Amino acid sequence: MTTTTASTPGSYYRFKPWNVGRLLVWSLFALLLIVAPLLFTSSLALTMLSQIGYLIIICLSYNMLLGQGGMLSFGHAVYTGLGSFIAIHAMNLAGKGALPIPLVFIPLVGGLAGMLFAVLLGYVTTKKAGTTFAMITLGIGELVASMALMFPEFFGGEGGITTDRVYGGSFFGITFGPAIQVYYLIAVYCFICTAAMFAFTGTPLGRILNAVRDNPERVEFIGYNTQRVRYFAFIIAGFFAGIGGGLAAINFEIITAVDSVSILRSGGYLLFTFLGGATFFFGPIIGAVLLVFASVLLSELTKAWLLYLGLVFLFMVMYAPGGVASLIMMNLRVAKYGKLRALLPSYLGLAGTGLVAMLGAACMVEMTYHLQLNAALGPEMSFLGATLNAKALASWFGSGFVLLTGLGLFELCRREYVRQWGRIQEEIEHEIKRGEAL
Amino acid sequence: MAQDATTYSLELRDLRKSFGKTEIIRGANLAVKAGERVAIIGPNGAGKSTLFNLISGRFAPTSGEVLLHGQRIDGKKPFEINRMGLSRSFQITNIFPNLSVFENLRCGVLWSMGYKYTFLRFLSGLHDANERAQQLMEMIKLEKKRDTLAVNLTYAEQRALEIGITIAGGASCILLDEPTAGMSRSETARFIHLIKEVTEGRTLLTVEHDMGVVFGLADKIAVVVYGEVIAFDTPENVRANQRVQEAYLGSAIADAQAEGH
Amino acid sequence: MLNGVSYGLLLFMLSSGLTLIFSMMGVLNFAHTSFYMLGAYFAYTLSGLVGFWPALVIAPLLVGAMGALFERYSLRRVHKFGHVPELLVTFGLSYLVLEVVQLVWGRSTVPYGLPEQLQGPLFTLFNTQFPKSRSFIMLVALLMLLSVWLLLTRTRIGLVIQAALKHPQMTEALGHNVPRVFMLVFGGGCALAGLAGVIGGNTYVTEPAMAASVGSIIFVVVVVGGMGSLAGAFLASLLIGVVQTFAVAIDESLASGLQALGVMVSEETFGWPVLKLTVSQVAPILPYLFLVLILIFRPKGLLGTRED
C-alpha cells in the first residue's frame, strides 16, 4: 500500500495569475505587518515580531536557492552574518561621523555586503551542482566561521561587535531607539523584499532558475549556461540575505561571530525553510514564524526542544517533503472541491490519537532529560502541571503505556485517513478530467 | 567531394571518441546539406547516441572535427552549440516536470529572443515570447493542456512537448534521438507527421530503429556500424548496399521492402 | 610527521566509508560522522562492561546494524524524492544522534581511555615518542582498507555490489535482492565509521562535538580527493592530515618570516592583521582553503571520477 498519494504533484490548489485574490492576499499581508504589534502588545511579542520580520527575508532568500533553484546550501549564514558585520561596522562608522549613512539605509549596506561576498565566494561555489555544491557551501561556511577568530578587529573576537543604533539626527522625528520603531523599519523592509523576491519568480531569470532546478541538462540545450544562472541567483539571494543580516544588526545592536556565521545558524535556516515548505513561495514565511516560535518559546518550555525539532524534521522529510505549505495547499484543493468536510472526522481522529502518543513520548523524553540535566534537583519534576517521579517505574510504565496505545490508535486512524484521502483524490481527478473534456 | 564546406549544414570529419581504452567512434565522416532529413540507423551499440552526444557537446571528441554551418563546434559547451543553431531531443524524455506546458515552451524561446539573464522584466509582459510559445503549443497540438504540469502529461504528449522545446529556439539543425521510442503504431504515424510539419525547412537528423519511420521520413540514411558511417545515401541505394545488408539486420530492410515502401 | 599520517589515515577511514556509500548509492551521508561518534560512545560503554578488545568488534557491528535499520526505514522511503531529500534526511539524523548522545552520555567529554596494551610509546624517534595507540590506528586503517578492497573485487558479494552500483534494475532482474544489498552497503559504511570511532575515540577526545568537528573536514577530503574516488580520498586524507598536524606546530607567521628576511614590519604596515597570523592560528582553516583552491584550479578534485 503506497502512501504517495499525498505527494503526487498536481494535487495542490493552483493559483490563478493576477486576479483580485492576489491583490487581496498582499493587502492582507501588509495589513498584518502593520497591525500585529497593536494586537500583541507585550515586549516579548514585539521581540518575536521583529525577529520574524527579518527572518522572513532571510528564509525567502534561502529558498531562492533551495526551493527555486534546487541548490542545497549549508552555508547561508555566511552571507547573512557578513551582512550583519558590515552593517554594524557601518553603523559604528556613521555614529562617529565618518560615514554619513542614515539608519534606514543600513540594511541596504548589509545587502550590498552580502551581494559582494556572494560575487566573490559564489563563483567558486556554483561551479558545481547538487551534492557537491552542498559540501562546498559547508566548507566555505566552516572557512568563514573559523576565520572569525583570526581577525578579531573585524569580528570582535568572543565578545562580538556592539553598536548604538541611535546616531545622527532623527529621521522625521524617528530616532529608532524604541523597539516599536525598529519593528516598523523591519516591517517595511520585509514587505518590500518579499514583494521583490516574489516579483523575481515571474522574471525570465527566475523561471529559468526553476528550469535549472528541474532539469539542468536540458537547460543547456535551450541556450542557457546553467552555471551562470546559478551564479546570478546566488548573488541575488546573497543580496537579500545581507539585508536580513543588516536588520538583525540593527535589532540586536550586537553581533557575535560564534552566533552569526556559524554552521548551526545555517542549519537552522535550512531546517525551518524546509519545514515551512520549500516548494511554495510562502512556505519560508511560515518557516520563519516557526523558527522564532521554536527558538524563543519552545526552548523555554522544554530542554528537549532540539530533539523534538530533529524528530519533526525527520518525519517531515519522509512524509511531507513539501513542508507545512504543501499540507495547507493540498487541503485547500480538497476544500475547493467541497470535500474537506468529509475529511474532518479523520483529521480529528488523527490529531487526537497523535496527541496521546506524543504525550506519552514527550513524558518519557522529559523524564530522561530531567534525569540527565537536572539530576541535582532530585527525581521529582513537573510535566504539564502534574508532578512525576522520574525515577519511579510507575511513571515510566505509565507513559510507555500511553505512548503505545496512542501509537496503535494513531495507526488505525492513519489507515482510514489514507483510504479516504486516496478516494477523494480520485474523485477530484475525475472532476478535473470532466472539466477538461468540455 | 569537390563541394565547398560552407554549403554543408553539419559535417563530421574523422570523428573519434574513446572512453578509457575502448574506442566507440572510430573515424566517423558525414556531410549533411541544409534542409536535408537524415535518419541514422545501425545495430545496437554502434554508437549512434554517442555520435549525437559528440555533436551536441555533451562529450568532447577525442579527435576529429564537428562543423556546424562551416564553424567548428567540437569541444564547445552544449549551450554554446545551441546558441549557434543546433538543438536536440533526448531518448529519455527530458522536459521540465514542475513547469506547465506553456512554461516549458516559453523557457525554450527565452534565450533565442534575447532575454538572457534579465530579472528586471516580467514574463507576462514579454509578448513576443508568449506569442511564440502559444504558436509552438498549437503546432504540437497541446493547447488544451496549456496549464497542465509537464509531469502529468501522457507519454506521447511528453514526447511532443520535448519536440516543442527542441524547436523552440529556432535552431536550424535539429537532432532527434529516437523520437518515437515506446510509441504504438498509430501514435508513431501521427508523431512522424508532426515532426515533418515542425521541422519544415530545417536540417534534421534522427536516430531511429523503426524502418517504416525511416523510409517514410528520411531523404538520406546514414548507417553507423562499430562507430563508423559505412553508408550515407538515399534510402533506395542504402537498401541495395551490399555492405549494409551484411552488417545490419538485412531482414529488417527486406521486411520493409515487402511492406511496399 | 607520523602523527600527521596516522591522523590522515583516520580521516581516510571515515572518508572512504563516505565515498563508498556515495559511489554505491549516490547518497551523501551527512550523518556519517555521527556514526563515528556513536562508535566511540558505544565502545566507551562496552569497554566498561566487557573490555576494549571485545568492544572493538561489537561496537562497529552495533553501529552498522543501526545504519542498516536507518536505511531500511528512513532512507529508502526518501530515495524516490531525489538526492536533496536524501541528504536532508541524513542531516536530520545527524541532529537527532547528537541530541540522543548528549541525552544518554551527557554534554561533556567522557573518559574513554586507552586499554593497557595500547598505552605508552611504540618507539622513540628524534626525541619524540610515537604512541602505540596511533600506530594501532594506522594498522587498523590499513587492514580495513585491504579487506574492503579484497571484499569488493574478489568475492561474489563484492561483484554483486559493483553490479548493483552500475545497473540496479538489471541486477535486480537477475534475481539479486538489490534493496538488501543497499542496506548492507549502507550498514557496512556506517560500521566502518563506527570502527574509526572505536579506535579514534580513545586516542583523540570523545565528546559530543567530535562529529561536527571532523565532519566538515571529511567532506572537504571527499571533494578535494574527487567525488567517488577512493584513491583520491586516500591522497587527500593524508595530505590534509599531514599538513594540519604540521601547521599546528609552526608558530611562525608571515610577519616573522618577512622580518627574518630583513623586511621591517610593524603594526603600522598595511595588512598587519593578516601578516601577524601565525601558521598555527591559520591551521584550522587550511583544509577549507585547500577546498577553495582545488575548486578553482582543478574542479574535478585530485582524482575525481563521478560527476553528478
Side-chain angles (χ1 to χ4, degrees):
Chain A
M1 168 88 201
T2 57
T3 46
T4 51
T5 44
S7 49
T8 45
S11 59
Y12 300 127
Y13 179 73
R14 302 291 308 279
F15 280 131
K16 295 275 176 298
W18 289 124
N19 60 358
V20 180
R22 263 208 184 155
L23 221 60
L24 201 69
V25 168
W26 282 99
S27 316
L28 266 175
F29 182 50
L31 200 68
L32 204 66
L33 283 174
I34 297 174
V35 155
L38 303 172
L39 290 174
F40 308 105
T41 49
S42 71
S43 68
L44 176 67
L46 195 60
T47 324
M48 286 175 65
L49 285 171
S50 301
Q51 286 188 37
I52 291 177
Y54 66 78
L55 279 169
I56 287 180
I57 302 178
I58 294 180
C59 287
L60 281 173
S61 76
Y62 184 72
N63 202 36
M64 209 185 274
L65 299 174
L66 179 64
Q68 291 171 36
M71 302 186 261
L72 179 61
S73 162
F74 283 114
H76 203 61
V78 166
Y79 305 99
T80 62
L82 286 173
S84 296
F85 273 108
I86 300 273
I88 215 168
H89 281 296
M91 281 203 281
N92 284 336
L93 284 175
K96 279 187 256 178
L99 221 64
I101 305 180
L103 190 71
V104 281
F105 293 133
I106 290 290
L108 288 175
V109 173
L112 286 171
M115 193 166 77
L116 185 72
F117 284 108
V119 168
L120 283 171
L121 298 169
Y123 181 71
V124 152
T125 316
T126 54
K127 256 176 181 271
K128 303 292 222 150
T131 329
T132 323
F133 171 84
M135 295 203 298
I136 298 170
T137 57
L138 185 66
I140 291 192
E142 287 279 6
L143 179 69
V144 174
S146 310
M147 276 214 263
L149 288 173
M150 296 194 321
F151 296 106
E153 295 85 7
F154 182 75
F155 287 101
E158 301 270 326
I161 309 267
T162 54
T163 189
D164 180 12
R165 64 174 177 250
V166 184
Y167 64 82
S170 60
F171 181 76
F172 294 114
I174 306 174
T175 58
F176 293 113
I180 183 85
Q181 291 180 353
V182 175
Y183 167 76
Y184 278 110
L185 177 69
I186 294 177
V188 168
Y189 267 100
C190 175
F191 187 78
I192 298 179
C193 290
T194 309
M197 285 193 266
F198 184 74
F200 174 76
T201 61
T203 63
L205 184 62
R207 197 48 47 87
I208 293 289
L209 183 64
N210 290 336
V212 168
R213 166 199 66 197
D214 283 354
N215 198 340
E217 198 169 12
R218 197 59 175 106
V219 173
E220 295 262 322
F221 288 106
I222 54 173
Y224 277 94
N225 183 346
T226 34
Q227 209 181 319
R228 266 280 161 87
V229 175
R230 289 199 184 105
Y231 186 36
F232 287 154
F234 199 79
I235 295 173
I236 296 179
F239 174 65
F240 286 108
I243 291 185
L247 286 170
I250 294 177
N251 190 35
F252 289 117
E253 292 183 303
I254 176 172
I255 297 290
T256 54
V258 81
D259 179 49
S260 300
V261 291
S262 64
I263 293 291
L264 232 65
R265 185 157 276 267
S266 292
Y269 295 149
L270 164 62
L271 207 105
F272 283 99
T273 306
F274 188 82
L275 268 181
T279 46
F280 289 96
F281 180 77
F282 66 94
I285 299 181
I286 299 178
V289 175
L290 288 175
L291 203 171
V292 175
F293 269 88
S295 55
V296 173
L297 291 181
L298 194 62
S299 57
E300 289 294 314
L301 213 56
T302 160
K303 287 222 167 31
W305 70 290
L306 279 172
L307 182 69
Y308 293 139
L309 209 59
L311 280 170
V312 169
F313 181 71
L314 213 58
F315 282 119
M316 269 291 187
V317 178
M318 291 200 288
Y319 295 103
V324 169
S326 72
L327 293 175
I328 295 177
M329 293 304 272
M330 287 198 288
N331 284 295
L332 265 181
R333 187 175 99 135
V334 170
K336 175 182 165 197
Y337 284 93
K339 303 204 190 294
L340 194 59
R341 197 159 300 162
L343 278 177
L344 273 170
S346 265
Y347 278 134
L348 283 172
L350 281 174
T353 53
L355 208 65
V356 171
M358 276 198 289
L359 270 172
C363 196
M364 291 168 70
V365 169
E366 293 299 328
M367 286 200 284
T368 321
Y369 266 82
H370 185 82
L371 286 174
Q372 246 302 339
L373 299 169
N374 296 337
L377 297 172
E380 298 252 323
M381 58 169 263
S382 75
F383 179 71
L384 297 176
T387 26
L388 290 170
N389 186 332
K391 282 210 170 136
L393 216 56
S395 319
W396 285 91
F397 264 125
S399 43
F401 178 72
V402 168
L403 171 64
L404 286 172
T405 15
L407 274 179
L409 289 173
F410 183 81
E411 180 62 20
L412 285 173
C413 279
R414 192 188 68 86
R415 298 214 177 152
E416 173 62 25
Y417 169 75
V418 168
R419 245 187 5 95
Q420 270 196 313
W421 180 268
R423 207 190 60 223
I424 287 181
Q425 292 300 321
E426 272 176 33
E427 286 171 12
I428 293 181
E429 299 291 333
H430 194 66
E431 279 198 39
I432 292 180
K433 282 219 162 46
R434 254 192 349 163
E436 267 175 10
L438 289 171
Chain B
M1 292 274 189
Q3 289 204 292
D4 201 0
T6 50
T7 61
Y8 289 125
S9 182
L10 184 68
E11 242 192 294
L12 307 177
R13 290 187 189 162
D14 196 34
L15 200 59
R16 285 173 195 275
K17 178 65 183 172
S18 312
F19 287 106
K21 293 212 190 80
T22 333
E23 203 179 23
I24 305 286
I25 306 292
R26 308 148 184 247
N29 287 288
L30 193 63
V32 182
K33 295 212 199 77
E36 267 187 335
R37 290 210 177 102
V38 177
I40 300 187
I41 66 174
N44 277 323
K48 305 189 290 291
S49 282
T50 315
L51 264 182
F52 263 25
N53 286 334
L54 286 173
I55 298 173
S56 60
R58 216 173 179 192
F59 309 137
T62 316
S63 74
E65 297 176 0
V66 182
L67 291 99
L68 180 68
H69 305 309
Q71 284 179 304
R72 283 190 60 173
I73 59 170
D74 46 284
K76 286 199 193 280
K77 297 235 179 73
F79 65 87
E80 290 171 325
I81 298 179
N82 182 271
R83 291 177 193 171
M84 290 168 75
L86 185 138
S87 190
R88 73 167 286 182
S89 77
F90 293 81
Q91 206 172 344
I92 305 175
T93 317
N94 235 352
I95 50 182
F96 302 118
N98 291 318
L99 299 179
S100 71
V101 168
F102 183 73
E103 297 272 17
N104 261 272
L105 293 168
R106 186 163 59 181
C107 281
V109 307
L110 282 175
W111 184 271
S112 57
M113 295 204 147
Y115 288 113
K116 307 207 176 161
Y117 302 107
T118 179
F119 53 91
L120 295 172
R121 304 187 55 177
F122 284 127
L123 285 168
S124 45
L126 307 177
H127 296 298
D128 49 355
N130 290 330
E131 267 174 40
R132 178 103 179 100
Q134 184 71 28
Q135 270 177 8
L136 285 164
M137 233 182 5
E138 282 158 13
M139 266 202 257
I140 59 175
K141 318 244 189 314
L142 285 181
E143 330 77 79
K144 292 235 174 78
K145 301 277 177 108
R146 185 184 199 278
D147 291 322
T148 319
L149 288 181
V151 69
N152 288 332
L153 295 172
T154 67
Y155 179 74
E157 287 170 336
Q158 284 184 345
R159 297 300 274 174
L161 182 60
E162 170 107 28
I163 302 277
I165 301 176
T166 308
I167 62 165
S172 52
C173 186
I174 315 268
L175 272 57
L176 297 179
D177 198 344
E178 297 197 41
T180 60
M183 289 190 184
S184 64
R185 264 261 174 266
S186 51
E187 280 175 338
T188 307
R190 264 189 306 204
F191 208 64
I192 293 302
H193 190 70
L194 179 69
I195 293 180
K196 270 193 174 155
E197 264 184 41
V198 301
T199 60
E200 192 63 54
R202 309 186 210 217
T203 316
L204 178 69
L205 274 83
T206 83
V207 170
E208 256 307 334
H209 284 297
D210 186 336
M211 296 312 280
V213 169
V214 170
F215 284 109
L217 179 61
D219 303 324
K220 285 238 188 92
I221 300 183
V223 185
V224 178
V225 177
Y226 282 130
E228 283 180 72
V229 181
I230 65 168
F232 180 52
D233 217 326
T234 59
E236 295 76 31
N237 294 349
V238 165
R239 201 185 296 154
N241 187 314
Q242 185 79 336
R243 228 179 132 197
V244 171
Q245 286 185 7
E246 281 167 8
Y248 199 24
L249 296 169
S251 53
I253 305 183
D255 283 352
Q257 233 170 335
E259 275 180 77
H261 284 288
Chain C
M1 171 70 185
L2 282 172
N3 274 345
V5 173
S6 72
Y7 179 59
L9 280 173
L10 188 70
L11 285 181
F12 177 61
M13 274 185 80
L14 282 170
S15 51
S16 59
L18 196 66
T19 308
L20 274 173
I21 295 181
F22 182 71
S23 318
M24 298 282 159
M25 302 165 65
V27 178
L28 192 69
N29 185 7
F30 205 86
H32 198 72
T33 48
S34 305
F35 289 111
Y36 165 71
M37 180 163 68
L38 274 178
Y41 274 95
F42 278 159
Y44 163 66
T45 315
L46 284 172
S47 301
L49 293 172
V50 296
F52 176 75
W53 300 100
L56 185 63
V57 174
I58 303 177
L61 287 173
L62 267 176
V63 175
M66 291 186 76
L69 277 175
F70 174 72
E71 200 280 335
R72 170 89 177 72
Y73 289 109
S74 231
L75 205 54
R76 200 173 294 185
R77 258 216 72 112
V78 182
H79 183 72
K80 57 178 175 286
F81 294 142
H83 282 317
V84 168
E86 280 177 336
L87 191 54
L88 285 176
V89 90
T90 58
F91 174 71
L93 183 70
S94 70
Y95 235 88
L96 218 58
V97 169
L98 181 64
E99 280 302 305
V100 171
V101 161
Q102 284 180 328
L103 188 59
V104 177
W105 282 283
R107 284 167 200 251
S108 47
T109 24
V110 290
Y112 177 30
L114 292 166
E116 273 196 20
Q117 296 91 334
L118 289 180
Q119 286 175 9
L122 188 61
F123 54 81
T124 330
L125 202 66
F126 304 122
N127 288 336
T128 32
Q129 303 176 320
F130 190 62
K132 277 191 199 158
S133 57
R134 288 184 201 243
S135 46
F136 185 62
I137 291 180
M138 293 175 70
L139 184 67
V140 172
L142 288 169
L143 271 178
M144 183 215 90
L145 173 64
L146 202 66
S147 45
V148 167
W149 182 74
L150 281 175
L151 183 80
L152 283 180
T153 51
R154 299 272 185 259
T155 66
R156 233 195 86 200
I157 262 280
L159 290 174
V160 173
I161 291 176
Q162 291 203 50
L165 149 70
K166 290 268 159 48
H167 300 283
Q169 286 101 337
M170 198 59 215
T171 318
E172 195 158 17
L174 287 172
H176 297 287
N177 190 344
V178 171
R180 179 131 57 93
V181 169
F182 279 168
M183 190 170 82
L184 275 174
V185 170
F186 193 80
C190 294
L192 287 177
L195 182 63
V198 173
I199 59 174
N202 51 14
T203 310
Y204 302 98
V205 107
T206 300
E207 57 167 1
M210 64 195 286
S213 60
V214 87
S216 17
I217 301 192
I218 293 298
F219 289 125
V220 170
V221 164
V222 169
V223 175
V224 167
M227 302 287 291
S229 160
L230 269 178
F234 185 64
L235 212 61
S237 314
L238 283 181
L239 200 61
I240 290 181
V242 169
V243 167
Q244 260 216 295
T245 324
F246 260 126
V248 174
I250 303 180
D251 259 330
E252 305 299 311
S253 66
L254 269 177
S256 54
L258 283 171
Q259 275 168 345
L261 287 172
V263 181
M264 280 316 297
V265 282
S266 67
E267 281 195 24
E268 319 293 310
T269 327
F270 178 73
W272 173 251
V274 177
L275 291 176
K276 76 167 192 295
L277 289 170
T278 63
V279 178
S280 53
Q281 280 179 311
V282 176
I285 71 159
L286 281 178
Y288 309 113
L289 272 180
F290 236 58
L291 176 72
V292 174
L293 288 171
I294 279 273
L295 283 170
I296 298 178
F297 296 112
R298 212 191 143 77
K300 251 202 183 157
L302 291 173
L303 296 167
T305 52
R306 183 189 169 113
E307 286 288 337
D308 52 353

